[in-house]
Amino acid sequence: NAGVTQTPKFRVLKTGQSMTLLCAQDMNHEYMYWYRQDPGMGLRLIHYSVGEGTTAKGEVPDGYNVSRLKKQNFLLGLESAAPSQTSVYFCASSYGQGGMSNQPQHFGDGTRLSIL
Amino acid sequence: RKEVEQDPGPFNVPEGATVAFNCTYSNSASQSFFWYRQDCRKEPKLLMSVYSSGNEDGRFTAQLNRASQYISLLIRDSKLSDSATYLCVVNMYDTGGFKTIFGAGTRLFVKA
């Protein structure tokens, strides 16, 4: 039972490079989320999706793009990486419907990204 | 004021001690509440949901006080393995719609 799987686990980029983080879930969850976590701060929502083909901005969306072409996958893209995007990125998913989710979120084990 | 606030700690307690954390939230329209546990360099994992009437899961007890807008987590008979950061999570509605807010976490160290 994989749950939520993130790839890659680690990555080092140079400023200006682009990359895509992949999140896959096998729990048939409608909702998926991308967060970043920085030292001393709580998880901050970057983008989220309430279903296949739909995405929405979270608290800190600038510099990131997302796509949800398939229900089980949620991709996070960095078009032109900046040192300020050095962080740990977590993907999560949850049950939800009708624009709300009172259900707990289940997390992947994170991607550690360093931008030099 | 942050929407969800926690004492960052750290709380240093001996094995067997009872320890309690509080988490305050600012939005009275908050809908649901959870406690997560996060180990160093790991992902957050759901510890327990928090129900209006309070709920218990083994050594862990969660309480909700809507009047004062806080939730609490009580850990009895602390184990070394309880050492972690405990995150408070609140689902709420505001002008922007439905959202989930994570507290920054409370660090707990349990020592032999």
Side-chain angles (χ1 to χ4, degrees):
Chain A
N1 55 348
V4 179
T5 303
Q6 291 182 232
T7 53
K9 298 287 188 287
F10 306 93
R11 188 72 183 268
V12 179
L13 292 178
K14 294 181 180 178
T15 298
Q17 286 186 314
S18 64
M19 79 161 295
T20 300
L21 280 63
L22 172 64
C23 177
Q25 53 95 4
D26 61 4
M27 296 174 282
N28 202 33
H29 285 165
E30 288 291 335
Y31 281 41
M32 296 188 74
Y33 315 80
W34 274 107
Y35 294 91
R36 62 177 289 173
Q37 188 175 37
D38 300 295
M41 302 184 72
L43 289 157
R44 292 186 292 169
L45 184 64
I46 304 171
H47 287 279
Y48 65 100
S49 168
V50 301
E52 181 179 322
T54 68
T55 63
K57 294 180 180 180
E59 180 186 356
V60 289
D62 294 343
Y64 305 95
N65 57 75
V66 288
S67 63
R68 183 98 180 267
L69 299 179
K70 294 183 178 181
K71 185 177 182 179
Q72 64 268 34
N73 296 337
F74 195 30
L75 278 63
L76 177 70
L78 283 72
E79 296 175 340
S80 180
S84 61
Q85 294 177 305
T86 294
S87 188
V88 180
Y89 292 85
F90 288 105
C91 175
S93 69
S94 70
Y95 288 110
Q97 60 182 14
M100 59 179 286
S101 177
N102 271 328
Q103 300 302 311
Q105 297 178 21
H106 301 267
F107 285 82
D109 55 7
T111 296
R112 283 165 180 74
L113 184 61
S114 293
I115 316 296
L116 304 178
Chain B
R1 181 184 174 188
K2 292 182 180 178
E3 292 179 283
V4 175
E5 291 199 77
Q6 296 183 251
D7 180 345
F11 286 64
N12 294 289
V13 303
E15 269 187 299
T18 295
V19 62
F21 311 133
N22 280 345
C23 167
T24 59
Y25 59 94
S26 61
N27 187 335
S28 60
S30 296
Q31 298 284 316
S32 56
F33 310 87
F34 307 94
W35 283 104
Y36 280 71
R37 171 197 169 120
Q38 187 173 24
D39 294 292
C40 186
R41 301 179 68 80
K42 298 286 189 180
E43 75 275 21
K45 292 184 178 179
L46 178 67
L47 179 64
M48 59 197 303
S49 302
V50 186
Y51 301 121
S52 296
S53 56
N55 48 297
E56 188 174 303
D57 183 1
R59 298 181 293 110
F60 299 85
T61 300
Q63 298 277 357
L64 168 62
N65 186 317
R66 284 194 182 272
S68 299
Q69 295 184 198
Y70 74 86
I71 65 172
S72 64
L73 177 67
L74 181 78
I75 305 175
R76 291 182 299 277
D77 188 22
S78 298
K79 310 292 184 189
L80 295 175
S81 57
D82 293 334
S83 297
T85 297
Y86 291 84
L87 307 178
C88 162
V89 182
V90 178
N91 286 337
M92 64 179 71
Y93 279 107
D94 70 6
T95 54
F98 192 86
K99 62 183 181 181
T100 300
I101 303 295
F102 284 78
T106 297
R107 296 190 71 185
L108 171 66
F109 293 102
V110 181
K111 303 195 174 185

